[in-house]
Amino acid sequence: MSEHTATLTWNRNTDADFTYQTYTRDHDWTFENNATLRVSAAKEFLGNPDCVDPEAAFVASLASCHMLTFLAIACKKRFTVESYTDRAIGHLEPGPNGKLAITRITLHPKIEFSGEKQPTSEQLAQLHEVAHQECFLANSVTTKITVE
């Protein structure tokens, strides 16, 4: 149905030797629209703490996909969403095979609705359930994703 591309560019810092402790993890992601994001490894893996790391980007991507799917479903159900804020937490830990993985992500959405039609707690839970089932990225990974 569609393709999505990203170009990664990394260059060695010529001032440092190419050893595990010294090579730079900083690199750029350039997307289809030419937007560029400076990225590095997580600081725990010798990355630059001023850059986005792939693990955080993975968590943000899944949370963003859930939110966008939720908004589409809420709109179609005629609920008016005024704001949606989420503090998503991804857990990097040993997976079933013992290798490190983002095994689970917990979403903590705070949603404000306006208008006369307000979802009940059951309807809100159903909106999140359908959003999870329909989220393209959630359907692409084995990471457990929960909404609290």
Side-chain angles (χ1 to χ4, degrees), residues 24-114:
T24 183
R25 274 72 171 163
D26 294 8
H27 58 286
D28 293 318
W29 292 347
T30 303
F31 298 93
E32 304 162 328
N33 63 356
N34 290 321
T36 299
L37 182 62
R38 191 67 171 162
V39 186
S40 190
K43 66 180 181 177
E44 297 83 3
F45 300 101
L46 305 177
N48 181 344
D50 294 330
C51 295
V52 173
D53 66 71
E55 296 83 3
F58 180 74
V59 172
S61 293
L62 283 160
S64 183
C65 187
H66 180 90
M67 179 199 70
L68 292 169
T69 307
F70 179 95
L71 293 173
I73 294 164
C75 179
K76 290 178 182 180
K77 297 282 185 182
R78 307 237 186 265
F79 292 112
T80 301
V81 178
E82 289 297 324
S83 67
Y84 185 114
T85 305
D86 190 358
R87 184 170 181 276
I89 302 171
H91 301 270
L92 180 67
E93 54 196 11
N97 62 2
K99 295 183 181 278
L100 287 178
I102 301 287
T103 59
R104 55 195 170 96
I105 296 173
T106 306
L107 307 179
H108 298 95
K110 303 288 185 248
I111 305 158
E112 290 186 30
F113 294 90
S114 66

